[in-house]
Amino acid sequence: KIYHCGDIMYDNSIYFSEIAEQKSTILKDNELVAGEFILATIHRNTNTDDHLRLKSVFSAIIKVADTKKIKIVIPLHPRTAKQLERLPELNKEIQSNRNIKIIPPVSFLEIICLEKNAKLVITDSGGVQKEAYFFKKPLVVARPETEWIEIIENGAGIIADAYENKILESVEYFLGDSALQFPNIFGDGHAAEFICRTLLESH
């Protein structure tokens, strides 16, 4: 049997998600209910440093919050925060929206906890995309491409780039689809055990 880095990442995420559930208080601290919020992480410089793209992504997030009446949690990256300060009208609209919850940057255990308990994930992060799949969460990719094309091919993610309408359509589709499939394309959660056993048996 052959394992690759994705399998190890899956093992890692499952292991730390159990620790996060025990130790993280981020849901309680932010009055979040499992399965009743969207997690959004936007920090890639191609989005933050291009104000047209940044406006488009956040306009979509605002419309989702307003039309779906669902809480959207955004751990705000310092680079994103800095650029939003340069767009005062947009920033004010985000900060004043009762369905958008801006929180400080989070730790690894906290982001794992948020991913595991979210209803849906919107992100331009590489790692968050894969972790969302591990926890069986539909994914909207706010980039023109993805490193993890398998997620898209399996129908669990949609590449929306920074297009407002595409992000809205993707969220609408996933919130209305309860029959998504998440086959074990990144391993079975036992890659580390297999590797350790193989190393021990080879000596």
Side-chain angles (χ1 to χ4, degrees):
K1 189 169 186 177
I2 298 175
Y3 285 101
H4 55 67
C5 62
D7 301 321
I8 299 297
M9 187 176 174
Y10 180 45
D11 285 22
N12 184 70
S13 296
I14 297 304
Y15 173 77
F16 282 106
S17 73
E18 294 173 359
I19 296 175
E21 289 286 357
Q22 296 170 10
K23 294 188 175 183
S24 176
T25 60
I26 193 163
L27 298 186
K28 181 181 178 181
D29 293 345
N30 290 284
E31 301 179 333
L32 300 174
V33 178
E36 295 185 10
F37 67 90
I38 290 173
L39 172 64
T41 69
I42 305 298
H43 72 269
R44 196 169 290 265
N45 59 4
T46 51
N47 282 330
T48 61
D49 297 355
D50 183 329
H51 285 185
L52 288 177
R53 290 178 64 87
L54 192 63
K55 285 180 180 179
S56 184
V57 171
F58 274 95
S59 291
I61 288 173
I62 290 167
K63 286 185 179 178
V64 170
D66 287 341
T67 60
K68 297 302 177 183
K69 305 302 181 185
I70 186 170
K71 191 169 291 291
I72 301 179
V73 180
I74 307 174
L76 199 62
H77 192 284
R79 180 168 56 237
T80 313
K82 181 179 179 180
Q83 294 301 330
L84 285 175
E85 287 174 359
R86 297 177 178 177
L87 299 167
E89 290 185 11
L90 177 64
N91 195 32
K92 182 179 179 181
E93 193 173 358
I94 294 166
Q95 298 288 345
S96 64
N97 193 301
R98 62 187 303 174
N99 289 321
I100 295 177
K101 190 165 189 68
I102 300 294
I103 62 176
V106 294
S107 69
F108 176 67
L109 288 182
E110 289 171 332
I111 193 68
I112 286 286
C113 193
L114 289 172
E115 292 163 353
K116 188 174 183 179
N117 289 283
K119 187 175 184 65
L120 180 150
V121 176
I122 302 171
T123 190
D124 61 9
S125 166
V128 171
Q129 292 179 52
K130 209 166 187 182
E131 289 159 359
Y133 187 87
F134 295 159
F135 299 123
K136 297 179 170 50
K137 306 301 177 181
L139 171 70
V140 179
V141 182
R143 288 172 57 192
E145 58 189 7
T146 177
E147 299 90 341
W148 317 116
I149 193 65
E150 306 98 317
I151 297 174
I152 310 303
E153 292 173 343
N154 275 276
I158 295 174
I159 296 176
D161 201 359
Y163 297 115
E164 180 180 335
N165 287 340
K166 185 65 174 177
I167 294 172
L168 291 170
E169 290 169 5
S170 302
V171 170
E172 180 78 29
Y173 170 75
F174 283 132
L175 289 181
D177 187 349
S178 59
L180 291 175
Q181 299 295 315
F182 296 85
N184 291 331
I185 57 175
F186 296 116
D188 55 11
H190 299 287
E193 296 171 30
F194 175 84
I195 292 169
C196 288
R197 187 168 60 251
T198 301
L199 289 173
L200 288 171
E201 291 172 353
S202 66
H203 287 79

